[in-house]
Amino acid sequence: LAQMWLLFILGFGASGGSQLLDVPAAAVSVDRGEEIGNMNFVTRRGRQLLDGSDLFRFAGCNIYWLGLDENVGGVHHPTKFRVLDALTTAANLGARVVRSHTVGFSTGSSLAFEPSLGDFNESALDLADFAVYTAEKLNLRLVLPLTDDGDHYEGGKRDFTKWVGVRNESEFYTNGTVISAFKEYITRRLNHINPYTKRKAVDEPAILAWETGNEIHPPANWTQEIAKFIKSLDTRHLVMDGSYGISEAALGIPEVDLYSNHYYPASADKLATDIKQVAEADKVLVIGEYGWTDSAKTPPFFTASEQYADTLAGTMFWSLFPHADDHGFVQHGDGFTFHYPGDNDWMRNFSALARVHAYHMAGVDNPPPVPPPPIAPVITAVNSTHASWRGAALASMYTLETSSDGKSGW
């Protein structure tokens, strides 16, 4: 097999996969994207979000690993190809917002933005910065948590208590030294300058909101203190309460714009209860995560979400993974791994439902056709019996043709 020619055919679905190739920032391109500088900051008016003067509602997804990845041969910064592939996929799935933990917080490891207390490595945010830049090019907004309740590879609240010698992790919310350390992290993250956009994070319109944490359990006075602190540094972005579930005690905090819950499973009844509670406080609800794998519960959950134009701003499923750098897709073992447009009938069915839902949330009745893949696939290995290739975002089918001399007889 002397040579191989590869043609991708468009539609729903893809497989395939490349050498560890970095993609230059200039390669970011998609029809629905905008040039840097044309994006509004999203604002809140009562129970609604606005993009300029227009109502802003969205569907989207979680892509937690954009700044630091655990899924390919251990913990490493992802390649630009994987970041670009995932965000391109999300945008053409109809997403308007992506939630990403590792773009917001990065603590406690040698690859982190803050590997140890008070020691900051600005270059550790390079892939997070590329994600922010790419998101803006694709007309995507980002929700960025600032810490995590758990003790995960990307960091969390335990780093701060450990650093100051506090054994009781719950003192993250009460110990003055720990709170000061967390505020220093927030200050450095919000004032970090992105080399791709040449802006501080506080000036990035692609950032929709800073979330006080992921699935944390704080008292309301801590949420108020942190939200007020964020607003003192950043008057242009929204703040979302990162409590796991709606904290009734925190609903009256003036500095908090958005409240959130995570739905496992996706429950329309639970959603209705949360919407009523948040609406009474004249605030906005965001579905920060939901499990998409229950085919009976997802359609009524979507229908309910689309009907609550007042109070419910958006929905984000857990969670999207890209093509791998060499072949196939990046895998993740939590039971909610999603590849667009799907590895099986179950995933492909959700893909179709989710795309329609995303456009309905944005006020569009009929989704446009999926556009052509913006970046071609790349053959990464070939021998007499096998071929491997890096897949192309949005491709649904690949045709391989062989020739004995590379010139004829394809």
Side-chain angles (χ1 to χ4, degrees):
L1 187 64
Q3 297 202 22
M4 181 165 285
W5 178 67
L6 179 143
L7 169 71
F8 57 84
I9 300 174
L10 311 180
F12 260 147
S15 104
S18 148
Q19 303 283 355
L20 296 180
L21 301 177
D22 263 356
V23 179
V28 180
S29 176
V30 72
D31 288 344
R32 69 190 293 272
E34 296 181 356
E35 293 301 318
I36 289 287
N38 292 340
M39 179 179 275
N40 295 316
F41 285 83
V42 173
T43 59
R44 179 177 68 89
R45 184 179 61 196
R47 296 192 293 269
Q48 295 181 331
L49 299 185
L50 299 176
D51 179 359
S53 59
D54 297 328
L55 178 67
F56 184 77
R57 300 191 77 215
F58 63 88
C61 58
N62 284 264
I63 313 178
Y64 75 87
W65 49 266
L66 290 171
L68 188 64
D69 197 359
E70 63 176 336
N71 297 287
V72 181
V75 176
H76 304 283
H77 293 106
T79 59
K80 288 181 178 176
F81 165 77
R82 298 205 303 272
V83 172
L84 177 59
D85 184 88
L87 291 174
T88 299
T89 299
N92 288 283
L93 186 61
R96 304 179 82 186
V97 177
V98 166
R99 181 170 176 261
S100 186
H101 302 53
T102 56
V103 178
F105 65 90
S106 176
T107 58
S109 76
S110 61
L111 297 176
F113 176 50
E114 188 177 13
S116 58
L117 181 63
D119 176 23
F120 290 90
N121 178 8
E122 303 288 333
S123 65
L125 291 178
D126 183 67
L127 272 299
D129 291 332
F130 181 71
V132 173
Y133 168 80
T134 304
E136 184 173 350
K137 291 284 284 184
L138 295 171
N139 202 23
L140 291 166
R141 265 76 172 202
L142 299 168
V143 172
L144 304 180
L146 289 167
T147 192
D148 196 288
D149 186 68
D151 185 22
H152 303 302
Y153 78 96
E154 68 270 40
K157 72 182 196 299
R158 189 173 301 176
D159 292 326
F160 297 94
T161 55
K162 179 178 64 178
W163 286 338
V164 302
V166 173
R167 291 187 178 184
N168 185 350
E169 195 176 328
S170 66
E171 289 190 43
F172 177 77
Y173 305 115
T174 58
N175 182 286
T177 304
V178 176
I179 292 172
S180 294
F182 183 49
K183 285 181 176 178
E184 178 62 17
Y185 175 84
I186 294 171
T187 300
R188 295 294 295 264
R189 181 64 188 89
L190 270 60
N191 285 289
H192 168 76
I193 297 175
N194 185 323
Y196 299 97
T197 66
K198 315 301 183 188
R199 304 189 195 109
K200 289 184 178 181
V202 295
D203 298 320
E204 295 284 10
I207 296 174
L208 171 70
W210 301 107
E211 185 176 4
T212 57
N214 173 60
E215 297 185 346
I216 56 177
H217 303 275
N221 66 316
W222 180 93
T223 299
Q224 181 166 22
E225 180 177 355
I226 296 302
K228 188 174 183 178
F229 182 73
I230 293 170
K231 293 278 190 173
S232 74
L233 301 173
D234 184 352
T235 60
R236 309 179 82 178
H237 289 116
L238 304 174
V239 171
M240 186 158 88
D241 181 4
S243 297
Y244 197 174
I246 308 302
S247 170
E248 185 174 358
L251 281 171
I253 298 173
E255 293 82 9
V256 175
D257 301 286
L258 313 173
Y259 294 85
S260 173
N261 206 347
H262 297 173
Y263 298 82
Y264 296 95
S267 168
D269 292 339
K270 174 59 177 170
L271 177 60
T273 299
D274 289 345
I275 287 174
K276 183 177 184 297
Q277 191 174 18
V278 174
E280 289 173 351
D282 199 34
K283 295 295 182 74
V284 171
L285 178 68
V286 169
I287 297 172
E289 298 178 17
Y290 67 89
W292 59 270
T293 55
D294 190 324
S295 58
K297 292 183 181 295
T298 300
F301 189 71
F302 281 173
T303 299
S305 301
E306 292 161 19
Q307 290 174 346
Y308 290 110
D310 188 55
T311 303
L312 179 62
T315 69
M316 293 178 285
F317 70 82
W318 184 273
S319 65
L320 178 66
F321 291 86
H323 286 96
D325 296 288
D326 51 1
H327 68 276
F329 284 95
V330 174
Q331 301 296 327
H332 185 70
D334 67 355
F336 298 100
T337 301
F338 177 75
H339 300 134
Y340 178 78
D343 305 336
N344 49 48
D345 290 341
W346 178 40
M347 203 178 290
R348 284 187 286 272
N349 180 60
F350 173 73
S351 175
L353 288 172
R355 193 164 190 270
V356 171
H357 167 65
Y359 280 93
H360 284 179
M361 289 292 289
V364 178
D365 290 335
N366 298 308
V370 178
I375 298 175
V378 177
I379 293 178
T380 58
V382 63
N383 58 36
S384 60
T385 60
H386 292 83
S388 298
W389 63 93
R390 184 182 70 190
L394 316 184
S396 63
M397 186 186 305
Y398 302 87
T399 297
L400 293 174
E401 298 190 13
T402 64
S403 168
S404 58
D405 59 10
K407 299 178 182 179
S408 61
W410 290 98

